[in-house]
Amino acid sequence: MCHNTAMEITTLPRLVQKNVRDYPNYVAQYSKDKDDVFQPTTFTEMYNEILCYAAGLREEGIKRGDHVGLISDNRKEWLITTFAQHCLGAADVPRGCDSMADELAYILSFGDCKSAVLENEAQLAKLLPLRDKMPALLTFILIDNDFDKGKYSAALSGIRVLGYKDIMEKGKVIIAKDGVKTIEDEIDQGKGDDIATIIFTSGTTGEPKGVMLSHKNIVNQPIVAGGVLGNRPGDIWLTVLPVWHSFERAVQYIALYEAGALAYSKPIGKIMLADLQKMRPTYLTAVPRLWEALRAGVYRNAAANGKTKALNLFVNIGASHQKFKNLILGRTPQFKRRCVPIDFLVALIPFLLLSPLRGLGNALVFKKVKAMLGGRLRAAVSGGAALPDAVDKFFGAVGIVMMEGYGLTETAPVLAVRYYSNPVPETIGPPFPNMEIEIRDIDSGKVLKPGQKGVLYARGPQIMQGYYKRPEETSKVISADGWFNTGDIGLKTFKGEVKLTGRAKDTIVLLGGENVEPVPIENKIRDSVYIDHAVVLGQDQKFLAALIVPSFENIEAYAKENNITYMDIESLVKTPEIKELIQTEISERVNRKTGFRGFESIFRSALVSKPFEVGKELSSKMDYKRHYITDAYKKEISGLFAE
């Protein structure tokens, strides 16, 4: 096998080869067996599985330049499958199992997939009725081998269905007979500019677009990430997010590059908390909704044990202590120039006075929170959406380093992240190594100075190759000199960190001409324990209103405490007491005192009686699909703005 240096890691299979050479017996994957016990796979074992599976795939006709659909959730076999395809020079076209059948048919057809790997029989049953929409798709591979072929015999006419295990066994026989050289020769043919994946954007603004990412786009991140995230060999990363999405995918390569191990779990409270105890990870990556859920769980626990006041007291002390610590260390964001020596002097005495109380809080409260997360968590990584301020402050108070990052599928994805060694709150950190970020005026395109708000533009080795078969869409977002228009609005600090404030295309223009960024308002509203989702509305209206998905569990508890009678959830959200509670929660958070302008106040709110769902109101990243929401809740929205 080739002896690669970091500079020679131009393709993803090279990343595994490096670790087989340098860390052969380190664990690469922990996955559960049928008894729910985590079983380890070393880098050497994983590489052998990849080579065998690649040999089996090649025997079944997968070749360089092919596009192979991959409809599966996060699991050990997902990674083996993609690495094996990349060994052969094929690109994957991934999606999660929660995707709608029509969406999958569109992606597999438009993505020119002749074959597709499916997690299980349910995905096959979902796709077969739409086979007319995918005439080129003639081979399915099922990761979960067993299914009743007889049940589908008519629908399967002309289509091959193969099993993952069968292909693996076939590959083992080939490798035993011919050796690994034929597959390693295929790896050697791979180039950095080869397309590794075509990820279709989640369609928050309409029809999905296929983002073409090359190996070079993707491998830039793991090579430079160690200096940013502080990860090292032997780390354990609990992995819970959808792996088809670019954030979780990048995290997995980042973990593996530094010889870390991936422990596969699920973003379901009970399962994840049990796995945190079992695996005691050093890193956990999640979207803000999961961090919010963990925080809410701590507060629920405290309420059940009558300790809410103590928790609030120590969280406030911890947050203040952290704030003064940040001032002392120069970690306060400089949106305007600050005098660091003065910050140091102002913060020193309060910091020293609060330290014993912070220590007491750690002994009585925070230690238990850390133990709930396994007790060894070195850092928490948040991405995929903006992290609400209250959640950020909570984890800072507890003493867990929160590294908020930012990126887009089109940028492979990481554009900026807080450094482990210098996490500056209220920001998404400085630009990622090798990436440039400029803030430009939304109208003139002029590059703005620190502290001035505008649109983020990015340039560097991670910018996509373009949208698949959509050159006109590509030219709208990437300039001739390589600058990508993110469509996000933000500003830079005087030290170079970036803060996001909203999306250019989400901007609401009120009837009076005022421009409003809904995202910061929505994040602030969601700080309330009684509110799960808030969608701010008001385009071409006189005022702002909000569509609210309450926390059903918490409003039911409130109703019980306050003797509010109701029949069901639908009747509960219509009671005057609950409506008043929600409007009060909103008004307390969004007002001039909390930093919002008068016209950013929420004048009216409407409560919905069922949760938002991924694939409907929410994209897989948990972003709001605003076009869907405005259609689906037309009646409620028109009621909000009725005179």
Side-chain angles (χ1 to χ4, degrees):
M1 189 178 67
C2 333
H3 282 236
N4 305 306
T5 64
M7 292 305 292
E8 292 170 311
I9 296 174
T10 50
T11 63
L12 288 162
R14 295 273 194 226
L15 183 155
V16 185
Q17 286 184 332
K18 171 191 85 79
N19 283 349
V20 172
R21 182 194 73 194
D22 297 340
Y23 303 98
N25 299 318
Y26 274 59
V27 175
Q29 294 174 301
Y30 286 100
S31 56
K32 290 179 186 175
D33 60 18
K34 62 181 190 315
D35 300 317
D36 259 6
V37 176
F38 279 100
Q39 299 296 342
T41 303
T42 65
F43 277 99
T44 301
E45 289 165 341
M46 184 173 83
Y47 185 57
N48 287 335
E49 284 186 47
I50 291 164
L51 293 178
C52 291
Y53 194 58
L57 286 177
R58 190 170 66 166
E59 187 72 8
E60 297 297 351
I62 305 290
K63 61 187 186 305
R64 191 164 301 281
D66 279 358
H67 296 168
V68 183
L70 178 49
I71 316 305
S72 168
D73 291 336
N74 198 355
R75 56 188 289 170
K76 173 189 170 172
E77 294 86 351
W78 194 98
L79 203 64
I80 304 291
T81 296
T82 54
F83 274 130
Q85 289 172 14
H86 294 149
C87 289
L88 302 175
D92 58 74
V93 182
R95 206 69 174 178
C97 290
D98 58 2
S99 301
M100 313 296 262
D102 282 333
E103 188 180 33
L104 290 179
Y106 172 81
I107 286 165
L108 294 171
S109 172
F110 192 83
D112 295 318
C113 299
K114 293 175 193 162
S115 53
V117 178
L118 309 178
E119 179 160 0
N120 48 35
E121 188 181 331
Q123 305 312 309
L124 185 68
K126 194 193 284 185
L127 283 170
L128 281 178
L130 300 176
R131 62 173 293 190
D132 291 349
K133 294 186 177 181
M134 308 168 283
L137 189 58
L138 299 173
T139 304
F140 286 119
I141 298 166
L142 262 62
I143 294 176
D144 292 338
N145 250 45
D146 309 318
F147 85 109
D148 179 5
K149 279 188 185 173
K151 193 171 159 187
Y152 303 97
S153 55
L156 283 170
S157 168
I159 292 180
R160 293 192 306 162
V161 181
L162 310 168
Y164 175 91
K165 291 181 195 128
D166 301 333
I167 293 172
M168 183 68 85
E169 289 309 312
K170 190 178 278 190
K172 281 179 184 171
V173 172
I174 294 165
I175 293 290
K177 183 167 145 288
D178 301 337
V180 298
K181 190 175 183 307
T182 56
I183 302 300
E184 289 191 335
D185 284 349
E186 292 272 17
I187 294 172
D188 289 344
Q189 284 182 54
K191 296 180 179 63
D193 289 329
D194 293 346
I195 299 298
T197 184
I198 302 173
I199 303 175
F200 280 78
T201 56
S202 40
T204 50
T205 53
E207 203 172 71
K209 294 192 285 280
V211 174
M212 295 186 287
L213 297 175
S214 68
H215 287 265
K216 188 167 73 178
N217 290 149
I218 296 169
V219 298
N220 179 69
Q221 291 161 109
I223 289 170
V224 298
V228 176
L229 302 180
N231 55 311
R232 45 190 191 242
D235 276 333
I236 295 175
W237 298 64
L238 197 76
T239 166
V240 298
L241 297 177
V243 67
W244 72 267
H245 186 257
S246 56
F247 170 47
E248 175 60 31
R249 187 167 183 167
V251 162
Q252 295 200 6
Y253 296 137
I254 285 166
L256 293 172
Y257 181 84
E258 293 290 347
L262 304 170
Y264 295 96
S265 182
K266 291 192 182 298
I268 297 161
K270 282 181 183 171
I271 296 172
M272 189 172 85
L273 288 170
D275 290 345
L276 282 162
Q277 298 298 312
K278 283 181 199 167
M279 293 309 301
R280 303 183 65 231
T282 41
Y283 282 82
L284 175 61
T285 55
V287 290
R289 288 299 295 152
L290 268 175
W291 298 119
E292 284 180 285
L294 285 169
R295 171 179 170 258
V298 172
Y299 275 95
R300 259 199 314 276
N301 233 350
N305 296 306
K307 292 182 178 173
T308 304
K309 281 183 180 171
L311 177 62
N312 280 332
L313 174 70
F314 285 118
V315 166
N316 288 335
I317 288 167
S320 298
H321 184 265
Q322 190 63 35
K323 181 183 158 188
F324 291 125
K325 183 181 178 180
N326 286 336
L327 281 165
I328 287 167
L329 296 172
R331 286 183 189 160
T332 303
Q334 295 197 29
F335 302 118
K336 293 176 182 169
R337 286 204 182 275
R338 301 180 70 95
C339 180
V340 177
I342 289 177
D343 281 347
F344 180 89
L345 292 170
V346 164
L348 188 59
I349 290 171
F351 172 77
L352 293 172
L353 290 172
L354 286 171
S355 288
L357 291 171
R358 170 77 183 264
L360 184 64
N362 194 47
L364 297 177
V365 180
F366 302 149
K367 214 171 169 184
K368 290 171 189 165
V369 176
K370 288 175 184 169
M372 187 180 92
L373 300 174
R376 285 198 312 180
L377 202 62
R378 201 154 71 242
V381 185
S382 182
L387 185 69
D389 194 41
V391 179
D392 200 0
K393 282 183 177 155
F394 172 79
F395 283 99
V398 169
I400 291 169
V401 176
M402 179 61 81
M403 295 187 292
E404 186 180 7
Y406 157 74
L408 299 94
T409 306
E410 289 89 340
T411 60
V414 189
L415 279 179
V417 67
R418 292 181 197 170
Y419 275 47
Y420 177 73
S421 58
N422 188 41
V424 177
E426 296 176 56
T427 75
I428 47 168
F432 205 62
N434 303 336
M435 296 302 292
E436 300 171 80
I437 289 179
E438 286 184 354
I439 309 290
R440 298 186 188 176
D441 182 80
I442 198 162
D443 297 317
S444 69
K446 182 183 147 205
V447 178
L448 299 172
K449 293 174 184 170
Q452 294 182 310
K453 203 186 287 185
V455 180
L456 266 79
Y457 281 75
R459 184 169 68 174
Q462 292 170 207
I463 305 299
M464 67 169 176
Q465 306 303 294
Y467 294 118
Y468 187 59
K469 299 197 296 197
R470 294 274 180 83
E472 69 294 341
E473 293 293 326
T474 305
S475 60
K476 281 180 193 173
V477 293
I478 302 179
S479 66
D481 55 352
W483 284 97
F484 172 72
N485 179 351
T486 67
D488 286 314
I489 293 175
L491 64 158
K492 273 188 178 181
T493 69
F494 280 88
K495 282 188 166 183
E497 297 97 6
V498 180
K499 179 181 173 72
L500 285 187
T501 59
R503 282 214 43 89
K505 57 187 166 200
D506 289 344
T507 303
I508 293 168
V509 183
L510 291 171
L511 212 51
E514 302 93 344
N515 281 14
V516 178
E517 298 307 327
V519 176
I521 302 172
E522 290 163 351
N523 287 340
K524 194 70 181 169
I525 293 170
R526 280 168 44 197
D527 283 353
S528 166
V529 293
Y530 297 109
I531 296 171
D532 267 357
H533 289 290
V535 182
V536 172
L537 307 148
Q539 182 65 36
D540 300 325
Q541 302 290 343
K542 292 177 185 173
F543 55 82
L544 293 180
L547 199 61
I548 301 292
V549 179
S551 166
F552 298 112
E553 191 181 341
N554 289 343
I555 62 166
E556 284 195 280
Y558 179 87
K560 198 175 170 185
E561 281 166 28
N562 292 276
N563 300 315
I564 300 166
T565 53
Y566 65 99
M567 296 283 290
D568 51 23
I569 284 293
E570 207 159 319
S571 63
L572 178 61
V573 299
K574 288 175 182 168
T575 60
E577 296 93 334
I578 295 297
K579 284 181 176 178
E580 190 182 334
L581 166 72
I582 296 297
Q583 191 57 43
T584 304
E585 289 286 302
I586 294 169
S587 302
E588 280 177 1
R589 283 160 180 77
V590 182
N591 55 56
R592 289 182 189 277
K593 284 182 185 169
T594 55
F596 292 94
R597 297 166 294 183
F599 59 80
E600 290 176 317
S601 296
I602 303 298
F603 191 60
R604 288 178 186 160
S605 56
L607 278 67
V608 300
S609 57
K610 62 183 187 64
F612 281 177
E613 292 178 46
V614 171
K616 291 184 178 176
E617 296 91 349
L618 302 170
S619 75
S620 57
K621 296 198 289 186
M622 307 298 277
D623 285 338
Y624 296 139
K625 294 172 80 168
R626 295 181 192 270
H627 67 289
Y628 179 95
I629 291 166
T630 36
D631 283 348
Y633 297 92
K634 211 173 275 178
K635 190 179 162 194
E636 292 88 341
I637 293 167
S638 62
L640 284 167
F641 297 105
E643 290 297 328

PDB file of all heavy atoms in Angstrom, residues 324 326-330 332 334 337-350:
ATOM      1  N   PHE A 324     -17.125  37.037  32.531  1.00  0.00           N
ATOM      2  CA  PHE A 324     -15.941  37.740  33.054  1.00  0.00           C
ATOM      3  C   PHE A 324     -14.651  37.022  32.634  1.00  0.00           C
ATOM      4  O   PHE A 324     -13.653  37.668  32.323  1.00  0.00           O
ATOM      5  CB  PHE A 324     -16.027  37.875  34.575  1.00  0.00           C
ATOM      6  CG  PHE A 324     -17.118  38.821  35.024  1.00  0.00           C
ATOM      7  CD1 PHE A 324     -18.104  38.411  35.921  1.00  0.00           C
ATOM      8  CD2 PHE A 324     -17.175  40.129  34.533  1.00  0.00           C
ATOM      9  CE1 PHE A 324     -19.123  39.274  36.319  1.00  0.00           C
ATOM     10  CE2 PHE A 324     -18.194  40.994  34.925  1.00  0.00           C
ATOM     11  CZ  PHE A 324     -19.161  40.571  35.815  1.00  0.00           C
ATOM     12  N   ASN A 326     -14.247  35.381  29.861  1.00  0.00           N
ATOM     13  CA  ASN A 326     -14.046  35.747  28.453  1.00  0.00           C
ATOM     14  C   ASN A 326     -13.438  37.137  28.320  1.00  0.00           C
ATOM     15  O   ASN A 326     -12.588  37.375  27.447  1.00  0.00           O
ATOM     16  CB  ASN A 326     -15.366  35.671  27.688  1.00  0.00           C
ATOM     17  CG  ASN A 326     -15.804  34.234  27.431  1.00  0.00           C
ATOM     18  OD1 ASN A 326     -14.973  33.330  27.421  1.00  0.00           O
ATOM     19  ND2 ASN A 326     -17.092  34.015  27.254  1.00  0.00           N
ATOM     20  N   LEU A 327     -13.870  38.075  29.176  1.00  0.00           N
ATOM     21  CA  LEU A 327     -13.296  39.432  29.158  1.00  0.00           C
ATOM     22  C   LEU A 327     -11.813  39.383  29.511  1.00  0.00           C
ATOM     23  O   LEU A 327     -10.979  40.042  28.882  1.00  0.00           O
ATOM     24  CB  LEU A 327     -14.048  40.342  30.141  1.00  0.00           C
ATOM     25  CG  LEU A 327     -15.392  40.896  29.664  1.00  0.00           C
ATOM     26  CD1 LEU A 327     -16.187  41.470  30.825  1.00  0.00           C
ATOM     27  CD2 LEU A 327     -15.196  41.971  28.590  1.00  0.00           C
ATOM     28  N   ILE A 328     -11.462  38.591  30.525  1.00  0.00           N
ATOM     29  CA  ILE A 328     -10.064  38.477  30.956  1.00  0.00           C
ATOM     30  C   ILE A 328      -9.200  37.876  29.847  1.00  0.00           C
ATOM     31  O   ILE A 328      -8.075  38.317  29.602  1.00  0.00           O
ATOM     32  CB  ILE A 328      -9.981  37.621  32.252  1.00  0.00           C
ATOM     33  CG1 ILE A 328     -10.516  38.429  33.439  1.00  0.00           C
ATOM     34  CG2 ILE A 328      -8.561  37.157  32.529  1.00  0.00           C
ATOM     35  CD1 ILE A 328     -10.764  37.608  34.690  1.00  0.00           C
ATOM     36  N   LEU A 329      -9.742  36.864  29.161  1.00  0.00           N
ATOM     37  CA  LEU A 329      -8.967  36.159  28.119  1.00  0.00           C
ATOM     38  C   LEU A 329      -9.053  36.822  26.745  1.00  0.00           C
ATOM     39  O   LEU A 329      -8.509  36.310  25.766  1.00  0.00           O
ATOM     40  CB  LEU A 329      -9.448  34.710  28.013  1.00  0.00           C
ATOM     41  CG  LEU A 329      -9.219  33.834  29.255  1.00  0.00           C
ATOM     42  CD1 LEU A 329      -9.902  32.480  29.094  1.00  0.00           C
ATOM     43  CD2 LEU A 329      -7.723  33.642  29.504  1.00  0.00           C
ATOM     44  N   GLY A 330      -9.780  37.950  26.661  1.00  0.00           N
ATOM     45  CA  GLY A 330      -9.918  38.631  25.363  1.00  0.00           C
ATOM     46  C   GLY A 330     -10.814  37.888  24.398  1.00  0.00           C
ATOM     47  O   GLY A 330     -10.651  37.965  23.183  1.00  0.00           O
ATOM     48  N   THR A 332     -14.146  38.274  24.206  1.00  0.00           N
ATOM     49  CA  THR A 332     -15.410  38.975  23.992  1.00  0.00           C
ATOM     50  C   THR A 332     -15.427  39.506  22.565  1.00  0.00           C
ATOM     51  O   THR A 332     -14.447  40.121  22.130  1.00  0.00           O
ATOM     52  CB  THR A 332     -15.559  40.135  25.004  1.00  0.00           C
ATOM     53  OG1 THR A 332     -15.467  39.574  26.310  1.00  0.00           O
ATOM     54  CG2 THR A 332     -16.887  40.850  24.853  1.00  0.00           C
ATOM     55  N   GLN A 334     -15.502  41.624  19.375  1.00  0.00           N
ATOM     56  CA  GLN A 334     -15.286  43.069  19.178  1.00  0.00           C
ATOM     57  C   GLN A 334     -16.025  43.559  17.929  1.00  0.00           C
ATOM     58  O   GLN A 334     -15.432  43.724  16.870  1.00  0.00           O
ATOM     59  CB  GLN A 334     -13.784  43.369  19.058  1.00  0.00           C
ATOM     60  CG  GLN A 334     -13.008  43.073  20.320  1.00  0.00           C
ATOM     61  CD  GLN A 334     -11.639  43.741  20.321  1.00  0.00           C
ATOM     62  OE1 GLN A 334     -11.435  44.786  19.710  1.00  0.00           O
ATOM     63  NE2 GLN A 334     -10.690  43.135  21.010  1.00  0.00           N
ATOM     64  N   ARG A 337     -14.474  48.427  18.496  1.00  0.00           N
ATOM     65  CA  ARG A 337     -13.154  48.227  19.115  1.00  0.00           C
ATOM     66  C   ARG A 337     -13.265  48.282  20.635  1.00  0.00           C
ATOM     67  O   ARG A 337     -13.928  49.144  21.193  1.00  0.00           O
ATOM     68  CB  ARG A 337     -12.172  49.287  18.618  1.00  0.00           C
ATOM     69  CG  ARG A 337     -11.725  49.022  17.184  1.00  0.00           C
ATOM     70  CD  ARG A 337     -10.374  49.672  16.910  1.00  0.00           C
ATOM     71  NE  ARG A 337      -9.951  49.467  15.538  1.00  0.00           N
ATOM     72  CZ  ARG A 337      -9.310  48.381  15.117  1.00  0.00           C
ATOM     73  NH1 ARG A 337      -9.046  47.392  15.951  1.00  0.00           N
ATOM     74  NH2 ARG A 337      -8.933  48.271  13.857  1.00  0.00           N
ATOM     75  N   ARG A 338     -12.622  47.329  21.290  1.00  0.00           N
ATOM     76  CA  ARG A 338     -12.612  47.281  22.753  1.00  0.00           C
ATOM     77  C   ARG A 338     -11.190  47.460  23.256  1.00  0.00           C
ATOM     78  O   ARG A 338     -10.237  47.083  22.573  1.00  0.00           O
ATOM     79  CB  ARG A 338     -13.144  45.935  23.267  1.00  0.00           C
ATOM     80  CG  ARG A 338     -14.552  45.604  22.844  1.00  0.00           C
ATOM     81  CD  ARG A 338     -14.976  44.250  23.397  1.00  0.00           C
ATOM     82  NE  ARG A 338     -15.150  44.303  24.840  1.00  0.00           N
ATOM     83  CZ  ARG A 338     -16.314  44.516  25.440  1.00  0.00           C
ATOM     84  NH1 ARG A 338     -17.401  44.690  24.711  1.00  0.00           N
ATOM     85  NH2 ARG A 338     -16.405  44.553  26.747  1.00  0.00           N
ATOM     86  N   CYS A 339     -11.055  47.982  24.467  1.00  0.00           N
ATOM     87  CA  CYS A 339      -9.735  48.110  25.094  1.00  0.00           C
ATOM     88  C   CYS A 339      -9.546  46.887  25.987  1.00  0.00           C
ATOM     89  O   CYS A 339     -10.147  46.793  27.068  1.00  0.00           O
ATOM     90  CB  CYS A 339      -9.648  49.407  25.900  1.00  0.00           C
ATOM     91  SG  CYS A 339      -8.032  49.586  26.669  1.00  0.00           S
ATOM     92  N   VAL A 340      -8.739  45.941  25.522  1.00  0.00           N
ATOM     93  CA  VAL A 340      -8.589  44.662  26.220  1.00  0.00           C
ATOM     94  C   VAL A 340      -8.025  44.831  27.639  1.00  0.00           C
ATOM     95  O   VAL A 340      -8.521  44.201  28.574  1.00  0.00           O
ATOM     96  CB  VAL A 340      -7.745  43.674  25.366  1.00  0.00           C
ATOM     97  CG1 VAL A 340      -7.513  42.365  26.108  1.00  0.00           C
ATOM     98  CG2 VAL A 340      -8.457  43.396  24.035  1.00  0.00           C
ATOM     99  N   PRO A 341      -7.006  45.703  27.880  1.00  0.00           N
ATOM    100  CA  PRO A 341      -6.520  45.881  29.261  1.00  0.00           C
ATOM    101  C   PRO A 341      -7.618  46.373  30.209  1.00  0.00           C
ATOM    102  O   PRO A 341      -7.691  45.935  31.357  1.00  0.00           O
ATOM    103  CB  PRO A 341      -5.407  46.934  29.119  1.00  0.00           C
ATOM    104  CG  PRO A 341      -4.950  46.821  27.704  1.00  0.00           C
ATOM    105  CD  PRO A 341      -6.160  46.459  26.925  1.00  0.00           C
ATOM    106  N   ILE A 342      -8.498  47.277  29.710  1.00  0.00           N
ATOM    107  CA  ILE A 342      -9.599  47.760  30.558  1.00  0.00           C
ATOM    108  C   ILE A 342     -10.577  46.621  30.838  1.00  0.00           C
ATOM    109  O   ILE A 342     -11.037  46.434  31.969  1.00  0.00           O
ATOM    110  CB  ILE A 342     -10.307  48.984  29.917  1.00  0.00           C
ATOM    111  CG1 ILE A 342      -9.384  50.197  29.997  1.00  0.00           C
ATOM    112  CG2 ILE A 342     -11.649  49.267  30.587  1.00  0.00           C
ATOM    113  CD1 ILE A 342      -9.905  51.454  29.345  1.00  0.00           C
ATOM    114  N   ASP A 343     -10.904  45.824  29.791  1.00  0.00           N
ATOM    115  CA  ASP A 343     -11.770  44.649  29.981  1.00  0.00           C
ATOM    116  C   ASP A 343     -11.205  43.753  31.086  1.00  0.00           C
ATOM    117  O   ASP A 343     -11.933  43.278  31.957  1.00  0.00           O
ATOM    118  CB  ASP A 343     -11.867  43.825  28.684  1.00  0.00           C
ATOM    119  CG  ASP A 343     -12.844  44.428  27.678  1.00  0.00           C
ATOM    120  OD1 ASP A 343     -13.611  45.326  28.064  1.00  0.00           O
ATOM    121  OD2 ASP A 343     -12.845  43.976  26.522  1.00  0.00           O
ATOM    122  N   PHE A 344      -9.889  43.542  31.043  1.00  0.00           N
ATOM    123  CA  PHE A 344      -9.217  42.674  32.016  1.00  0.00           C
ATOM    124  C   PHE A 344      -9.401  43.211  33.440  1.00  0.00           C
ATOM    125  O   PHE A 344      -9.797  42.482  34.353  1.00  0.00           O
ATOM    126  CB  PHE A 344      -7.721  42.587  31.671  1.00  0.00           C
ATOM    127  CG  PHE A 344      -6.929  41.716  32.611  1.00  0.00           C
ATOM    128  CD1 PHE A 344      -6.790  40.358  32.371  1.00  0.00           C
ATOM    129  CD2 PHE A 344      -6.327  42.250  33.749  1.00  0.00           C
ATOM    130  CE1 PHE A 344      -6.063  39.549  33.242  1.00  0.00           C
ATOM    131  CE2 PHE A 344      -5.603  41.456  34.620  1.00  0.00           C
ATOM    132  CZ  PHE A 344      -5.474  40.098  34.367  1.00  0.00           C
ATOM    133  N   LEU A 345      -9.148  44.504  33.590  1.00  0.00           N
ATOM    134  CA  LEU A 345      -9.244  45.117  34.926  1.00  0.00           C
ATOM    135  C   LEU A 345     -10.679  45.125  35.456  1.00  0.00           C
ATOM    136  O   LEU A 345     -10.927  44.855  36.626  1.00  0.00           O
ATOM    137  CB  LEU A 345      -8.690  46.546  34.885  1.00  0.00           C
ATOM    138  CG  LEU A 345      -7.172  46.655  34.638  1.00  0.00           C
ATOM    139  CD1 LEU A 345      -6.767  48.095  34.376  1.00  0.00           C
ATOM    140  CD2 LEU A 345      -6.390  46.087  35.822  1.00  0.00           C
ATOM    141  N   VAL A 346     -11.623  45.423  34.576  1.00  0.00           N
ATOM    142  CA  VAL A 346     -13.039  45.464  34.969  1.00  0.00           C
ATOM    143  C   VAL A 346     -13.526  44.076  35.409  1.00  0.00           C
ATOM    144  O   VAL A 346     -14.314  43.945  36.354  1.00  0.00           O
ATOM    145  CB  VAL A 346     -13.904  45.989  33.789  1.00  0.00           C
ATOM    146  CG1 VAL A 346     -15.379  45.694  33.993  1.00  0.00           C
ATOM    147  CG2 VAL A 346     -13.686  47.481  33.607  1.00  0.00           C
ATOM    148  N   ALA A 347     -13.038  43.031  34.727  1.00  0.00           N
ATOM    149  CA  ALA A 347     -13.555  41.680  34.954  1.00  0.00           C
ATOM    150  C   ALA A 347     -12.857  40.932  36.083  1.00  0.00           C
ATOM    151  O   ALA A 347     -13.437  40.000  36.648  1.00  0.00           O
ATOM    152  CB  ALA A 347     -13.428  40.868  33.663  1.00  0.00           C
ATOM    153  N   LEU A 348     -11.643  41.316  36.435  1.00  0.00           N
ATOM    154  CA  LEU A 348     -10.817  40.510  37.337  1.00  0.00           C
ATOM    155  C   LEU A 348     -11.473  40.268  38.704  1.00  0.00           C
ATOM    156  O   LEU A 348     -11.598  39.132  39.149  1.00  0.00           O
ATOM    157  CB  LEU A 348      -9.433  41.153  37.512  1.00  0.00           C
ATOM    158  CG  LEU A 348      -8.422  40.287  38.275  1.00  0.00           C
ATOM    159  CD1 LEU A 348      -8.201  38.946  37.580  1.00  0.00           C
ATOM    160  CD2 LEU A 348      -7.090  41.031  38.428  1.00  0.00           C
ATOM    161  N   ILE A 349     -11.904  41.343  39.377  1.00  0.00           N
ATOM    162  CA  ILE A 349     -12.452  41.193  40.738  1.00  0.00           C
ATOM    163  C   ILE A 349     -13.767  40.403  40.729  1.00  0.00           C
ATOM    164  O   ILE A 349     -13.914  39.430  41.482  1.00  0.00           O
ATOM    165  CB  ILE A 349     -12.585  42.563  41.447  1.00  0.00           C
ATOM    166  CG1 ILE A 349     -11.174  43.075  41.761  1.00  0.00           C
ATOM    167  CG2 ILE A 349     -13.423  42.459  42.711  1.00  0.00           C
ATOM    168  CD1 ILE A 349     -11.083  44.483  42.253  1.00  0.00           C
ATOM    169  N   PRO A 350     -14.765  40.749  39.849  1.00  0.00           N
ATOM    170  CA  PRO A 350     -15.983  39.918  39.820  1.00  0.00           C
ATOM    171  C   PRO A 350     -15.695  38.446  39.500  1.00  0.00           C
ATOM    172  O   PRO A 350     -16.320  37.554  40.055  1.00  0.00           O
ATOM    173  CB  PRO A 350     -16.844  40.541  38.729  1.00  0.00           C
ATOM    174  CG  PRO A 350     -16.233  41.834  38.375  1.00  0.00           C
ATOM    175  CD  PRO A 350     -14.867  41.898  38.955  1.00  0.00           C
TER     176      PRO A 350
END
